Amino acid sequence: MALLLVIDDDRSIIESFRILFEGNHTVIGAYNGPEALQELSKHKVDLIFLDYRLPGQDGLEVLKTILSKDPDAYVIIITGYGNFETIIQSISLGAYDYIEKPLDAEKVRITITRALESKKMSSYVKHIKDMEIENYSLSHIIGKSEKMQEVFKTVGRLVNNDVPVLITGESGTGKELIAKAIHYNSARKNDPFIAVTCSGLTETLLNNELFGHEAQAFTGADSQKKGKFEAAGDGTIFLDEIGDMPISTQSTLLRVLQEREFTRLGSTQTIRLKARIIAATNKNLLDEVRKNRFRQDLYYRVNVVSIDLPPLRERKEDIPLLVDYFIKKNNKKMKKSISGISDSANKTLVDYDWPGNVRELENVLTNVCIHLQDNYIHTLSIPSFGMQENEEADLYDDFIRTILQIHGMEKNLLKNMTRCLQERLIKKVAQMTKGNKSEMAKILGISRVTLQKKLRELSCDT
Ligand SMILES: Nc1ncnc2c1ncn2[C@@H]1O[C@H](COP(=O)(O)OP(=O)(O)OP(=O)(O)O)[C@@H](O)[C@H]1O
Ligand SMILES: [Mg+2]
């Protein structure tokens, strides 16, 4: 049930809306602009029908006033048949749609359904956007260490300043997170944040990805494709792993940054560059410059301000805070109520060197939280993540040696052992998940169908 405001000096129109939607929608009426504004201040109206021809007033002026008070208002203009000038003017001013007099009940009904759906959709999109903005508020970036405090200060200075930023740091230190924080805390936050990974693509593919192409620009280009620079519009373009960008793409990018415009491949029309540029790399870019793998002039263009994210092992005081943060995050995501972590478990986590930085810590805690039987994390709940690679390899070697001693003479050794291992692993996972098939499939990294098949094959009883 929606609340409709019908603004028309013709009482019979308001009445016909009432009769038409009785039991479905509530209709309130207003005979002129001032009355309409009064109603709008009293009620939260879903849709507004506005007759553009009101006595002594211009309907379009009323439209402007309504939209200036509530830019999200859904206004549908009621106009005379074929009055295209009014239609174009009102739509360009921000009206959602129009209907023509004499009113056709079925058309009005369809217009209302469509408008309500579109309104629901756009408020959903706004909700998602708000959540996204909230997710990248600075309160979600953890770090009390001096180095991280410095980073936060720089981010604070950068949100109101459009200079290009280069974010450096080892893998998993939070480069993308910081780039998003800059974007979602800046005036560009309602425009897109577009990330492009510059590694792993040939120069042709990367150029195409960044700048797009026209139809027929090359063999196989069936239709026009917009590039990421165009898609970013007034937002931010995040050039991830810029240190791996092929040299020829570096030259194109340099030109784009110098001239602040670009063209789609196969087009002569230039498009203005409006997006903010943030780049990131886990390479030492100056080293790359010295080795002639990165253009020096481009280096100075993208590195107007730099943020260097310290590895986690150099800010161990942040580890307990991050642990606490990820436990809370997981509680919310997994609907759990893990209350905390023991001192010795915390120490285990602090002592470890975290070559994969915050991402590795986050993954370890996600795994711990998934598998935790009770609501408290003990040292034993933490898997052997801290084990050095060679220690883990030693364990496997010992295991295989034992297997060979016991089963070495069997026929079909590989088949039998694989089966035996799979059976045990699946049983263990079944125990951990209390037999929940979707959870099991997720942990094992296979589909539910494959899991069912395996359970039948192995005749595992879960
Ligand atoms: N200070 C922090 N506070 C909270 N979460 C963080 C922090 N730093 C990183 N993270 C989280 O760690 C994960 C990895 O971060 P991100 O993807 O930004 O790293 P990256 O430096 O871009 O890594 P890579 O070089 O591998 O792409 C993300 O889930 C991110 O949300
Ligand atoms: Mg990244």
Side-chain angles (χ1 to χ4, degrees):
M1 169 100 76
L3 182 58
L4 315 180
L5 170 65
V6 181
I7 311 166
D8 202 315
D9 61 315
D10 184 348
R11 279 163 200 268
S12 67
I13 294 278
I14 300 178
E15 256 334 287
S16 47
F17 266 87
R18 281 209 177 103
I19 295 164
L20 205 56
F21 297 112
E22 188 163 10
N24 290 322
H25 302 305
T26 309
V27 176
I28 47 178
Y31 301 122
N32 52 46
E35 255 186 61
L37 293 177
Q38 223 175 23
E39 292 297 343
L40 284 171
S41 66
K42 282 194 288 194
H43 307 280
K44 201 175 169 319
V45 167
D46 295 302
L47 300 180
I48 303 165
F49 285 86
L50 168 64
D51 185 358
Y52 97 101
R53 218 190 322 209
L54 290 170
Q57 267 175 314
D58 183 354
L60 296 181
E61 279 306 314
V62 178
L63 171 68
K64 273 193 217 161
T65 317
I66 292 175
L67 289 175
S68 71
K69 289 192 188 301
D70 176 11
D72 296 329
Y74 267 59
V75 184
I76 296 152
I77 295 286
I78 307 173
T79 147
Y81 178 72
N83 197 345
F84 296 119
E85 203 180 319
T86 314
I87 294 170
I88 293 169
Q89 265 183 322
S90 51
I91 299 284
S92 68
L93 282 174
Y96 166 74
D97 203 350
Y98 67 93
I99 46 173
E100 286 170 329
K101 271 182 180 173
L103 298 182
D104 171 341
E106 198 42 38
K107 278 191 187 153
V108 176
R109 231 182 242 123
I110 293 172
T111 307
I112 290 182
T113 311
R114 236 186 17 212
L116 289 174
E117 265 167 18
S118 150
K119 192 167 177 171
K120 206 158 105 192
M121 196 48 145
S122 61
S123 73
Y124 177 68
V125 169
K126 187 168 179 309
H127 170 71
I128 299 274
K129 189 84 201 171
D130 287 349
M131 262 179 22
E132 207 166 48
I133 292 173
E134 161 59 20
N135 277 343
Y136 297 105
S137 79
L138 289 179
S139 62
H140 290 279
I141 307 181
I142 309 301
K144 64 171 180 183
S145 59
E146 214 173 295
K147 286 179 176 168
M148 284 308 284
Q149 290 298 321
E150 271 311 308
V151 169
F152 296 154
K153 269 193 232 155
T154 315
V155 170
R157 280 195 292 268
L158 285 170
V159 294
N160 293 320
N161 189 332
D162 266 349
V163 292
V165 185
L166 176 68
I167 307 174
T168 53
E170 287 178 13
S171 179
T173 45
K175 296 184 290 297
E176 182 153 355
L177 182 68
I178 292 292
K180 284 181 173 164
I182 296 173
H183 171 79
Y184 285 111
N185 288 285
S186 77
R188 295 175 184 266
K189 66 179 170 205
N190 288 313
D191 292 295
F193 174 93
I194 305 269
V196 193
T197 305
C198 304
S199 65
L201 290 182
T202 62
E203 50 191 67
T204 322
L205 281 176
L206 184 57
N207 272 345
N208 192 18
E209 185 77 2
L210 292 173
F211 307 112
H213 62 72
E214 290 298 330
Q216 316 305 332
F218 51 85
T219 326
D222 298 336
S223 55
Q224 182 204 67
K225 179 186 170 236
K226 282 188 183 163
K228 301 285 188 188
F229 269 84
E230 205 174 334
D234 287 312
T236 300
I237 183 145
F238 176 55
L239 300 172
D240 204 2
E241 303 188 29
I242 196 168
D244 297 320
M245 185 180 270
I247 277 282
S248 80
T249 315
Q250 291 179 29
S251 311
T252 316
L253 177 62
L254 178 71
R255 221 172 320 116
V256 169
L257 297 184
Q258 280 166 342
E259 287 159 22
R260 307 230 28 105
E261 58 185 31
F262 55 93
T263 49
R264 294 188 200 124
L265 184 68
S267 160
T268 47
Q269 198 189 354
T270 54
I271 304 170
R272 268 197 63 69
L273 167 66
K274 292 177 295 176
R276 171 184 206 153
I277 312 286
I278 303 184
T281 177
N282 52 21
K283 288 193 167 164
N284 180 333
L285 220 45
L286 259 185
D287 243 15
E288 297 297 299
V289 171
R290 271 183 227 115
K291 291 175 185 153
N292 288 328
R293 288 199 291 243
F294 201 83
R295 288 185 67 130
Q296 189 172 27
D297 35 15
L298 181 61
Y299 172 78
Y300 289 115
R301 279 266 164 192
V302 293
N303 186 18
V304 178
V305 172
S306 61
I307 296 181
D308 185 33
L309 290 175
L312 194 51
R313 63 184 169 280
E314 288 176 17
R315 46 176 162 126
K316 283 187 178 281
E317 64 268 46
D318 288 344
I319 295 177
L321 283 180
L322 282 161
V323 169
D324 197 48
Y325 172 73
F326 289 133
I327 292 176
K328 289 196 178 110
K329 194 169 158 187
N330 286 327
N331 271 341
K332 214 162 143 191
K333 212 163 59 187
M334 301 175 195
K335 299 198 171 46
K336 290 206 167 197
S337 39
I338 300 164
S339 58
I341 176 164
S342 73
D343 286 347
S344 65
N346 225 333
K347 185 174 176 316
T348 313
L349 296 174
V350 172
D351 285 347
Y352 180 56
D353 255 3
W354 302 108
N357 295 295
V358 186
R359 179 179 295 111
E360 188 183 1
L361 176 63
E362 185 173 13
N363 289 345
V364 164
L365 280 162
T366 302
N367 267 319
V368 169
C369 293
I370 288 178
H371 300 144
L372 202 64
Q373 305 283 353
D374 51 15
N375 278 332
Y376 198 68
I377 301 178
H378 303 273
T379 316
L380 279 181
S381 339
I382 299 175
S384 55
F385 75 94
M387 210 179 269
Q388 297 301 320
E389 241 171 62
N390 51 356
E391 281 180 55
E392 200 174 324
D394 285 351
L395 259 186
Y396 280 124
D397 283 348
D398 283 349
F399 170 69
I400 288 168
R401 217 171 289 124
T402 316
I403 293 288
L404 284 175
Q405 271 168 16
I406 305 173
H407 299 280
M409 305 308 285
E410 278 177 18
K411 266 200 247 162
N412 296 330
L413 177 65
L414 183 65
K415 199 168 150 210
N416 289 344
M417 280 323 300
T418 315
R419 183 191 164 93
C420 177
L421 266 178
Q422 283 197 24
E423 206 171 277
R424 273 158 199 270
L425 179 66
I426 291 178
K427 276 194 175 143
K428 186 79 204 157
V429 174
Q431 257 173 22
M432 284 176 349
T433 57
K434 303 198 174 70
N436 179 328
K437 301 269 179 352
S438 333
E439 274 291 303
M440 286 177 70
K442 204 150 86 191
I443 293 174
L444 291 165
I446 54 179
S447 70
R448 269 189 71 122
V449 179
T450 315
L451 175 65
Q452 297 284 14
K453 216 172 107 203
K454 282 209 174 295
L455 289 173
R456 272 197 305 273
E457 268 171 30
L458 301 168
S459 59
C460 281
D461 210 358
T462 60

